[in-house]
Amino acid sequence: MKVFSMSQRIYYKDLEPDAELIIKKDLELYNCMLHKAFKICFDRAYKDVTYSETDQRMIKSFYGTSDYFPLSAIYEAKALVKSLKCREKEDRDLIKTRIKKIDKKIKKKEKQLKKALKEKEKLINRSKKKKYTEEDYLYEVRVLDPNIKRLKSIIRNLKFRKNRNEFKLKRKMPSVCFGGKKNLKNGDLETFRFRRQRRMLITGRRQGKYSNNLFKLNVDNDMLTYRSTQKDIVFKVQFHKYKDELYAGVNEKHNSPNKAVAYELMDYGEYFIVKAIFEKHMNLPKTDTLYGAIGIDINVDHIALCETNMDGNIVLIKKYPIHKENTKNKQNEELYQLAIEIMEQCKSKKKSLVVEDLNFKQLKTRMLYRPKKQNKTLSSFAYKKILEKVERKCLRNEVDVIKIDPKNTSKIGKEKYTKIKGLSVHYCAAYVINRRGMGFVD
C-alpha cells in the first residue's frame, strides 16, 4: 500500500540566497517537460501518431538535461493519460445512463401529451355538435391548453438535452487544462500560471543508497539534499506521519522491493513542502466471517450497526448519530471518531466489516427527475466520506472490509425482517448487508 509523509514548511528565506530562484526554475523546467511528454502520450493514444525516437530521447535532446527530469515527467504523463482514458470510459457510461433516463421521461411526457390532445379533440367534436358548454370552455382555456403548452415545452427541452448528451458521446478526444479551467476562464492568469508550475514529482529508485535520483535523505541528521540543474541545495527536513517506515525504507538493502521513495516538491510562494511517497507493508487482515460479521448501513443522520454470530443471528445492534448541523470541521472530527469506534468494535470481536459497494457517479445520474428535496438531502449526504474513513481505519488496523452488492438491501430488510425482528428498517438493512457478506441468501 502506497502512503505519503509530509515535511514541515521550508521557507526560502532560510536557504541559500539563490536557492529560491534555482528551485522555481527547476519547477518551470519540469512542468514544461511534463506538458511536452503529455502531448506526446496523448497524440499516441488518441491520434495514432508514431515517433521514430523514444520519449526519453526526444525530451532529453529538446531540453538538454540529464535523464532524471525527463524520466519522471514521462512516467507522470503516462499515468495522466491512463487516468484520462479511465475517466473518459466512466463518463461515457454515465452519459448512456443519462440518455436512458431522458428517453424514459420523454415517453412519459409524450403519453401525457397524447392523452391531453385526445381530450382536446373530444371538446372540438362537442363544439361541432353544438354540445359545447361554458364549463367545457373554461376547462379548455384554463386547464387543458396551458397543460398541452407546458408538456410540449418540456418535451422540447428533454430532446435538446438528449441531443447534447448524444453529441458528447460522439466527441472522441477529451480536453485537458493544466493549471485549472476555472482560473483560465476567469482570466486570472497569474494564479493559472502559478498553479500550472507549482509542483514536481520525482520518481523513486530501488538501486542506490538514497532511494531517489534527485533527493538524498540523510536519516542520521535529517538533512535532505536536492540535486538541482545548477547545484546541490541542502536543508533540514522533518517528516511527520510514517517517519519511521520512511527511514526504514531508505535504509533497506540495494534493489529491495520497498526501497524506492518518490518525492513531490510543492511550491506555496514563500515556502515549499516536500512529500515523500513510498510503499508501506500492510499486514494481512486478522479478522474473518467464521464466527460472524459486523454490517453497517449508512444513512443521512446516523449509522446503523448490526453484529451477527456464526449462524447469522443478531447479537448486537447499535446506532451512531451523525449531526448534520455541525460545521465542516466538527463533522469531519465526528466521522473520524465514528470510524475509530466501528474499527475497534470489529477488531475486539475479530470479525470482518461488511459494507455496500456503491457507485457514486451512477447514484448521481439516477437522481435525475427525482423530487428536489430528496435530491438535496442525498447531495449533502457524505456517504463516500464516511465510507472512506471507515475503510482506511480498518485497513491500517488489520480489519478485513467486505464489499457487497447493495441491490435491494433496504427493501429486503423492510419486507422480511422488520416485523419478525421488531427493528427499524435501517437495522434490518444492516442485518441483510451483514448476512450477504457472510454468504447467506435472503
Side-chain angles (χ1 to χ4, degrees):
M1 178 186 173
K2 279 189 171 57
V3 295
F4 65 87
S5 182
M6 304 284 284
S7 74
Q8 86 284 15
R9 292 180 179 183
I10 302 156
Y11 286 89
Y12 289 115
K13 62 183 180 181
D14 298 334
L15 304 178
E16 300 170 25
D18 55 348
E20 182 178 0
L21 186 64
I22 292 169
I23 289 171
K24 293 198 172 181
K25 277 188 177 179
D26 285 356
L27 284 167
E28 187 178 354
L29 176 66
Y30 173 83
N31 282 283
C32 289
M33 289 181 183
L34 175 62
H35 303 151
K36 178 85 173 174
F38 181 82
K39 188 179 184 309
I40 292 167
C41 296
F42 186 88
D43 290 347
R44 191 182 288 117
Y46 288 95
K47 299 180 182 178
D48 299 324
V49 179
T50 54
Y51 297 97
S52 57
E53 288 185 317
T54 61
D55 300 349
Q56 183 187 348
R57 282 185 179 178
M58 277 193 289
I59 294 172
K60 185 182 174 182
S61 60
F62 188 83
Y63 290 98
T65 60
S66 61
D67 290 324
Y68 304 137
F69 281 102
L71 279 173
S72 298
I74 289 163
Y75 285 142
E76 189 175 353
K78 284 179 178 177
L80 287 170
V81 171
K82 189 178 178 181
S83 66
L84 189 65
K85 280 189 170 183
C86 294
R87 177 69 183 271
E88 187 191 7
K89 186 179 180 299
E90 285 180 4
D91 288 344
R92 290 178 76 84
D93 293 340
L94 285 175
I95 290 167
K96 286 175 184 176
T97 310
R98 200 177 293 132
I99 288 170
K100 285 180 184 176
K101 292 279 288 183
I102 293 168
D103 281 333
K104 192 177 177 181
K105 188 74 173 177
I106 288 171
K107 283 180 183 177
K108 184 182 174 182
K109 293 298 176 185
E110 282 179 342
K111 193 176 179 180
Q112 290 175 5
L113 179 63
K114 194 175 179 181
K115 189 178 176 182
L117 288 171
K118 277 185 179 179
E119 282 189 54
K120 174 86 172 174
E121 194 176 346
K122 283 179 184 178
L123 290 173
I124 292 168
N125 291 332
R126 282 174 69 87
S127 67
K128 285 179 180 178
K129 292 176 182 178
K130 296 183 179 179
K131 295 179 181 179
Y132 198 65
T133 62
E134 187 180 350
E135 288 79 8
D136 292 336
Y137 171 75
L138 291 171
Y139 175 70
E140 183 181 358
V141 173
R142 291 181 179 178
V143 179
L144 198 57
D145 286 347
N147 191 32
I148 289 169
K149 188 178 178 182
R150 182 181 62 84
L151 287 169
K152 284 180 178 179
S153 176
I154 289 169
I155 290 166
R156 280 197 303 271
N157 291 336
L158 287 169
K159 285 181 177 177
F160 176 74
R161 182 179 283 185
K162 183 184 174 183
N163 291 336
R164 278 181 63 85
N165 282 291
E166 285 175 347
F167 175 74
K168 286 178 184 178
L169 275 179
K170 290 175 185 175
R171 191 173 59 190
K172 292 182 179 179
M173 285 189 293
S175 60
V176 180
C177 181
F178 290 92
K181 285 183 182 178
K182 187 177 179 181
N183 296 320
L184 190 63
K185 285 179 180 177
N186 293 341
D188 190 359
L189 294 179
E190 189 176 342
T191 308
F192 170 74
R193 290 190 184 107
F194 175 72
R195 289 186 178 277
R196 191 176 170 85
Q197 53 190 32
R198 69 187 290 258
R199 55 172 292 280
M200 67 175 171
L201 178 65
I202 306 299
T203 53
R205 185 186 181 191
R206 288 168 60 176
Q207 297 86 9
K209 183 179 177 182
Y210 295 102
S211 308
N212 196 279
N213 292 318
L214 296 181
F215 288 90
K216 295 181 177 181
L217 177 62
N218 191 331
V219 297
D220 298 325
N221 55 9
D222 294 332
M223 299 300 289
L224 187 66
T225 305
Y226 166 58
R227 294 173 60 193
S228 68
T229 50
Q230 298 181 29
K231 65 175 184 178
D232 291 357
I233 299 170
V234 185
F235 48 88
K236 186 86 172 176
V237 70
Q238 184 65 45
F239 289 103
H240 302 291
K241 205 168 187 180
Y242 302 120
K243 179 183 176 181
D244 297 335
E245 289 88 343
L246 170 62
Y247 284 14
V250 174
N251 285 330
E252 280 194 12
K253 292 181 181 178
H254 175 79
N255 209 22
S256 299
N258 298 331
K259 185 171 176 62
V261 179
Y263 290 95
E264 185 177 15
L265 192 148
M266 295 175 289
D267 183 31
Y268 288 91
E270 296 180 356
Y271 62 91
F272 65 91
I273 290 174
V274 178
K275 183 199 290 186
I277 307 161
F278 57 96
E279 194 76 28
K280 183 179 180 293
H281 175 69
M282 302 299 293
N283 296 325
L284 292 172
K286 294 180 180 178
T287 59
D288 52 42
T289 57
L290 186 62
Y291 298 105
I294 292 175
I296 57 170
D297 178 48
I298 303 172
N299 301 286
V300 178
D301 56 347
H302 73 279
I303 298 173
L305 180 143
C306 179
E307 183 187 344
T308 57
N309 58 16
M310 62 189 299
D311 300 318
N313 297 320
I314 296 175
V315 176
L316 173 74
I317 57 169
K318 201 170 182 180
K319 181 180 177 180
Y320 297 98
I322 299 170
H323 301 97
K324 293 190 295 179
E325 66 277 3
N326 283 346
T327 59
K328 189 176 180 181
N329 290 337
K330 279 188 178 180
Q331 201 172 45
N332 284 336
E333 181 62 28
E334 185 183 42
L335 296 178
Y336 181 75
Q337 293 300 326
L338 288 181
I340 292 172
E341 286 184 42
I342 292 166
M343 178 273 297
E344 286 177 349
Q345 181 77 15
C346 297
K347 196 173 181 180
S348 62
K349 300 292 179 69
K350 295 185 178 179
K351 293 180 180 179
S352 298
L353 181 70
V354 187
V355 297
E356 292 177 308
D357 187 14
L358 290 171
N359 187 337
F360 298 99
K361 288 190 175 180
Q362 290 289 348
L363 277 175
K364 193 175 179 182
T365 306
R366 291 193 202 108
M367 284 164 64
L368 278 172
Y369 313 121
R370 279 186 180 177
K372 285 185 180 180
K373 193 174 180 182
Q374 186 183 359
N375 284 347
K376 189 177 180 182
T377 306
L378 288 169
S379 297
S380 62
F381 178 34
Y383 187 101
K384 189 176 181 181
K385 191 187 289 184
I386 299 166
L387 199 58
E388 281 179 353
K389 286 183 185 295
V390 173
E391 279 187 72
R392 201 179 297 121
K393 274 291 166 193
C394 289
L395 189 63
R396 288 176 183 170
N397 291 275
E398 302 168 9
V399 175
D400 190 22
V401 179
I402 300 167
K403 293 185 177 181
I404 55 101
D405 184 9
K407 191 175 181 181
N408 296 329
T409 50
S410 297
K411 193 176 179 181
I412 293 168
K414 183 180 179 180
E415 294 179 358
K416 195 171 181 179
Y417 294 114
T418 46
K419 289 183 180 179
I420 298 171
K421 303 291 182 183
L423 299 171
S424 69
V425 179
H426 305 300
Y427 286 126
C428 293
Y431 182 49
V432 173
I433 292 165
N434 191 325
R435 285 173 59 84
R436 196 173 285 183
M438 290 180 69
F440 293 104
V441 179
D442 290 305

